[in-house]
Amino acid sequence: MSAVLDNDRKAQLAGLYEEMQPDHLFPLWEVLAKLVVPEPQSPAMPARWSYETIRRFLLRSGDLISAEEAERRVLILENPGLPGQSAITPRLYAGLQLILPGEIAPCHRHSQSALRFVMEGEGAYTAVDGEKAFMNRFDLILTPNGRWHDHGHPGNKPMIWLDGLDIPIVRYLDAGFSDRLDQPSFPESAPPASTQMHYGRNMRPVRSMAAADKAPDVPLFHYPYAQWSEALAAVSAHDAPDPWLGHALEFLNPADGGPVMATVSVGVRLIPAGFETGLRRSTEGAVYVVVEGAGQVEVDGTAIELAAGDIVVVPSWCAARWQARQQLVLFTYSDRGVLEKLKLYKEALA
Ligand code: 1HN
């Protein structure tokens, strides 16, 4: 409320507020300016985590609790501006998960949609509705909402991946359900990589109408590094980089050509050595993983140094500029698809 009021009216208003409080009523004019802001003022802060630091604590957790006991042995990357919210942006979650040789992370399903991005190791799998995807470094694996999923590790070295989920979105929408299966692993339903062969080559199965069953909304759940890195390298060899993004590719859901999942958009970037992007703000809140290279990102005027393995968050409407000293390859996920669907996606470029 901006008007200047005399003390008598102020006191009367204060009395009024106090009297209406038991009836759960509150005057809009006291909060309107906070509710309707001229531009986004995210409570989230730009931040960076170093992989080596997280890894050290994660391995210590591995000595103390099993994947089975923990259900998922994960350290949450908590945004310093959102304490206690299990959130890296107001709308997204990030964590690093450790699975040790011989372990199983038991089968469950939930309304939250998840991605995995492999940081280290090989030989573990994620099974989605009983189909295993064996995971290699820098592969993207999805567990779309409502699908049964378990992880197992028949290999011989610790395996660590980034989990990106839409937990805050589902919480905000009061739409969370979950179940645990009464056995640790879902019974094998298809050979490993079966869906990759059906959907991962820019093709899809065709069946006679009598035989057609309904394909899931999100059929493909494994996007191997070997494929995306080849595409990104080819694109960067031929195109001029986008002035604000560098070379940028988005992973698609082959069923509809949209973001991989309704709530999470995922992509990769390549910023050539010596390249500096323009300053860009957007309403998406985005998480970045440095896959390779070195450089910095300036966020709202503060420089954040970037080295391989670093994880960085750029909240909504923070101005970001990327600079590559050595060619930077980034993995990124955000809520852009949600904002676009809701007609709330906006960018400002300088
Ligand atoms: C989950 O299901 C996994 O399946 C990882 O690996 C992290 C964080 C919150 C809720 C569910 C997983 C999760 C999660």
Side-chain angles (χ1 to χ4, degrees), residues 72 74 93 97 108 110 116 143 149 151 161 163 165 167:
R72 296 295 187 265
V74 180
Y93 160 104
Q97 176 160 184
H108 66 194
H110 40 67
R116 330 273 160 209
T143 56
H149 56 283
H151 312 291
W161 61 73
D163 291 314
L165 287 92
I167 289 171

Side-chain angles (χ1 to χ4, degrees), residues 49-65 73-76 96 98 160:
W49 289 260
S50 116
Y51 179 65
E52 283 313 313
T53 306
I54 309 171
R55 181 179 191 275
R56 219 173 30 245
F57 288 117
L58 201 45
L59 290 173
R60 274 175 61 190
S61 312
D63 292 334
L64 297 172
I65 188 163
R73 190 201 289 112
V74 180
L75 296 183
I76 299 169
L96 281 202
L98 167 67
I160 297 176

Side-chain angles (χ1 to χ4, degrees), residues 296-327:
Q296 65 170 44
V297 58
E298 173 198 321
V299 188
D300 281 348
T302 304
I304 298 176
E305 279 301 307
L306 301 173
D310 285 349
I311 300 167
V312 173
V313 56
V314 180
S316 169
W317 219 243
C318 293
R321 180 199 308 285
W322 297 84
Q323 283 172 270
R325 273 196 308 281
Q326 293 161 21
Q327 170 176 295

Side-chain angles (χ1 to χ4, degrees), residues 321-340:
R321 180 199 308 285
W322 297 84
Q323 283 172 270
R325 273 196 308 281
Q326 293 161 21
Q327 170 176 295
L328 273 174
V329 175
L330 306 168
F331 168 85
T332 178
Y333 67 100
S334 82
D335 48 10
R336 179 171 175 158
V338 174
L339 290 149
E340 285 181 338

